[in-house]
Amino acid sequence: MRVYLAGPEVFLPNAREVLDAKIALARRHGFIPVSPGDLEIEHKPTKREFGLAISAVNEKLMLSAEAIIANLTPFRGIAADTGTVYELGFMCARGCPAFGFSNVAQSHFERLQIYYDGKIAGDAQGRPRGPDGLAVEDFDMVENLMLDGGIEARGGAFVTRTVPPGQLFTDLTAFEECLAIAARRLLEGGASSAP
């Protein structure tokens, strides 16, 4: 089964090393890994055209895959990388089995508490809001409810761990645990693949 390995690892200074380690682990668990960053993309005349070329290649790679494992570790803020979120949504929309992992075990709400410096309070209806008046999700989920919900609705799992800050995107323990769950459910269980 071809599995798309989504995540912000492509931005790391040692991206190739981390991606290669993820690819090797995926193969060890019986998957055919499909990884962004695997292909050389021809440079285009403008930055925008180059960016569009990368997007097109990644969509083709996702269309070639039958499942996704997404690294949803908070990236440059309190939530997952936006590109990874797009890729997870893309694969969920195709009806593919979806799995996620995060190297931050705090819930989405706990991270919002930190963002708002603990100043979340219930409004007149009891709905939690930040000091800016914006409603806050408090559903005991790792990420935004659409990410947790999308993974669960497609038979997946969302694995979390707590790792030291310097290892947020290089510690592959949660990824490997996620791979093991996916292998049990998709390869050993004989689940059918997506269209």
Side-chain angles (χ1 to χ4, degrees), residues 4-20 22 35-39 41 54 58 61 71 75-76 81 83-84 87 169:
Y4 187 80
L5 307 178
E9 292 87 354
V10 295
F11 298 109
L12 295 173
N14 61 337
R16 187 72 265 158
E17 176 187 332
V18 175
L19 291 171
D20 287 346
K22 287 179 74 176
S35 176
D38 273 354
L39 301 175
I41 299 169
I54 294 169
N58 286 347
L61 288 172
N71 180 351
F75 183 70
R76 296 179 180 158
D81 167 55
T84 303
E87 292 168 333
F169 301 102

Side-chain angles (χ1 to χ4, degrees), residues 11-12 19-20 24 35 39-40 69 79 83 87 91-93 96 99 127 131 145 154-155 160 164 169 181 187:
F11 298 109
L12 295 173
L19 291 171
D20 287 346
S35 176
L39 301 175
E40 288 294 321
I69 296 178
E87 292 168 333
M91 295 296 281
C92 284
C96 297
F99 297 82
R127 185 163 188 192
L145 64 90
R154 280 149 194 89
T160 62
F169 301 102
I181 294 168
L187 302 178

Side-chain angles (χ1 to χ4, degrees), residues 1-72:
M1 175 178 273
R2 291 173 61 85
V3 64
Y4 187 80
L5 307 178
E9 292 87 354
V10 295
F11 298 109
L12 295 173
N14 61 337
R16 187 72 265 158
E17 176 187 332
V18 175
L19 291 171
D20 287 346
K22 287 179 74 176
I23 287 166
L25 287 170
R27 286 187 178 129
R28 192 174 312 145
H29 284 273
F31 291 105
I32 300 167
V34 178
S35 176
D38 273 354
L39 301 175
E40 288 294 321
I41 299 169
E42 179 186 339
H43 277 274
K44 302 293 181 181
T46 69
K47 291 178 186 179
R48 179 174 174 78
E49 289 171 325
F50 185 48
L52 292 173
I54 294 169
S55 174
V57 166
N58 286 347
E59 286 200 7
K60 285 180 186 172
L61 288 172
M62 286 188 287
L63 289 170
S64 78
E66 302 161 277
I68 183 170
I69 296 178
N71 180 351
L72 299 172

Side-chain angles (χ1 to χ4, degrees), residues 118-138:
K119 296 177 180 148
I120 294 176
D123 63 14
Q125 291 75 37
R127 185 163 188 192
R129 293 189 180 273
D132 53 12
L134 297 176
V136 172
E137 284 187 27
D138 185 10

